[in-house]
């Protein structure tokens, strides 16, 4: 198997005595949208948090294995963990805008990268709001609190804030599950555009959504990777019996 943008090798993760991720091996291709599928409790979210090392905030966690990003093992590196997290922005299930204005939500990410002064910040704020198709909706109220936006707009704002940190990878944990169908459709379209410049990894439990937007699919069950492959092959010619059962709705 060709090594991807992210290469996960022999990854095991325990929370105390609980074995959550079991010998996970995944190759995530560059500039594609990889969807991680599986029923609730199968380890999808834990895997996402392991990728940008947020899972290490848990006291009882124990991790073995390797995660290569561009040939560097990010689990075993002297590099500051904040530098790793900058490369992998995480978009959560529910949007979490910062308690400040729409403008400053984006400017915050830019300031993290050392950019300051309104002359430099303002055109970049506009750039990232346009990138998530939000500029025309908010350009006349940039000073308003971000919490006044609709949930769908807040999710796109959080995506823009993540892009402003200049990541290489966007991790999205069920980013449309709290949204109405129209807002979810807008986010899906933005993801299709963003993969030209970024590698995207998205968790979903909605098979129709995965089939609609994924380039590559990883199916997990009880902490193990059961099957992975290009989306057409995965849905039309699944190799594993457990995958076929899942696609038929035998378990959720």
């Amino acid at each position: 198997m060709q090594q991807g943008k992210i290469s996960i090798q022999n990854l095991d993760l325990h929370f105390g005595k609980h074995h959550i991720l079991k010998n996970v091996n995944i190759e995530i291709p560059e500039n594609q949208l990889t969807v991680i599928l599986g029923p609730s409790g199968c380890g999808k979210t834990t895997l996402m948090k392991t990728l940008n090392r947020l899972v290490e905030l848990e006291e009882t966690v124990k991790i073995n294995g390797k995660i290569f990003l561009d040939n560097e093992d990010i689990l075993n590196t002297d590099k500051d963990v904040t530098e790793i997290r900058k490369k992998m922005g995480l978009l959560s299930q529910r949007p979490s805008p910062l308690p400040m204005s729409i403008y400053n939500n984006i400017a915050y990410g830019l300031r993290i990268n050392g950019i300051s002064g309104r002359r430099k910040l303002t055109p970049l704020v506009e750039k990232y709001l346009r990138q998530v198709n939000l500029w025309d909706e908010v350009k006349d109220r940039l000073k308003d609190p971000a919490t006044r936006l609709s949930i769908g707009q807040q999710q796109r704002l959080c995506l823009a804030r993540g892009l402003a940190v200049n990541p290489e990878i966007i991790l999205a944990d069920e980013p449309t599950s709290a949204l109405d169908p129209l807002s979810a459709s807008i986010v899906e379209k933005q993801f299709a555009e963003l993969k030209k410049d970024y590698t995207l990894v998205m968790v979903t439990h909605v098979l129709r959504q995965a089939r609609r937007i994924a380039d590559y699919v990883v199916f997990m069950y009880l902490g193990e990777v059961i099957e992975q492959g290009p989306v057409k092959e995965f849905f039309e010619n699944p190799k594993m019996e457990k995958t076929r059962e899942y696609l038929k709705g035998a378990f959720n």
Side-chain angles (χ1 to χ4, degrees):
M1 188 183 293
Q2 185 177 3
Q3 187 164 326
K5 174 72 174 179
I6 304 172
S7 179
I8 304 170
Q9 299 179 7
N10 306 317
L11 181 67
D12 278 273
L13 182 142
H14 292 77
F15 286 137
K17 296 179 181 179
H18 300 286
H19 197 177
I20 308 299
L21 299 177
K22 305 168 185 175
N23 194 33
V24 170
N25 289 273
I26 302 173
E27 299 295 328
I28 296 174
E30 188 169 12
N31 294 113
Q32 292 189 30
L33 198 163
T34 295
V35 162
I36 301 175
L37 277 174
S40 297
C42 73
K44 303 185 299 293
T45 295
T46 299
L47 177 60
M48 296 286 269
K49 290 182 177 179
T50 305
L51 286 175
N52 74 345
R53 294 185 55 177
L54 276 174
V55 76
E56 294 166 37
L57 299 175
E58 300 283 344
E59 288 185 9
T60 62
V61 72
K62 180 181 178 183
I63 307 172
N64 290 302
K66 297 178 180 180
I67 299 176
F68 288 97
L69 172 58
D70 293 332
N71 299 312
E72 179 183 17
D73 181 5
I74 61 171
L75 291 181
N76 300 283
T77 179
D78 294 331
K79 188 174 289 184
D80 192 298
V81 70
T82 57
E83 292 300 312
I84 294 168
R85 289 176 186 150
K86 277 187 191 179
K87 288 188 173 184
M88 298 197 201
L90 179 62
L91 191 64
S92 300
Q93 190 169 355
R94 292 196 66 84
S96 53
L98 299 172
M100 53 184 68
S101 69
I102 296 167
Y103 181 98
N104 280 324
N105 262 266
I106 310 302
Y108 176 85
L110 295 166
R111 290 182 180 117
I112 286 175
N113 274 351
I115 300 169
S116 60
R118 292 190 81 85
R119 186 177 296 179
K120 292 180 180 178
L121 288 171
T122 298
L124 289 172
V125 168
E126 178 177 346
K127 171 190 170 182
Y128 289 111
L129 288 172
R130 285 189 181 279
Q131 205 166 355
V132 299
N133 201 27
L134 192 57
W135 173 253
D136 289 336
E137 299 170 39
V138 303
K139 62 184 179 183
D140 297 323
R141 48 182 180 138
L142 293 174
K143 294 181 181 179
D144 287 0
T147 50
R148 290 187 187 172
L149 296 173
S150 71
I151 294 295
Q153 289 172 325
Q154 287 182 31
Q155 190 66 299
R156 283 184 283 150
L157 180 71
C158 291
L159 178 56
R161 187 182 73 213
L163 296 177
V165 183
N166 198 27
E168 297 176 23
I169 297 147
I170 299 168
L171 307 175
D173 188 4
E174 301 212 37
T176 62
S177 64
L179 308 184
D180 62 86
L182 179 58
S183 296
S185 176
I186 291 171
V187 170
E188 286 184 11
K189 288 176 182 176
Q190 295 313 123
F191 279 9
E193 287 293 315
L194 289 169
K195 68 185 180 185
K196 298 172 187 174
D197 301 307
Y198 304 90
T199 297
L200 288 93
V201 186
M202 175 177 163
V203 165
T204 185
H205 64 275
V206 182
L207 290 173
R208 285 175 311 213
Q209 184 179 56
R211 192 163 195 162
R212 194 164 56 238
I213 68 173
D215 299 299
Y216 193 80
V217 179
V218 177
F219 169 51
M220 295 183 67
Y221 184 71
L222 297 179
E224 298 181 83
V225 174
I226 304 300
E227 187 164 346
Q228 60 184 301
V231 64
K232 184 177 175 67
E233 180 181 318
F234 178 86
F235 279 100
E236 296 182 7
N237 187 30
K239 297 178 176 62
M240 307 301 291
E241 179 61 28
K242 186 67 72 176
T243 308
R244 291 192 285 271
E245 290 176 6
Y246 180 68
L247 294 178
K248 289 176 182 175
F251 50 91
N252 294 318

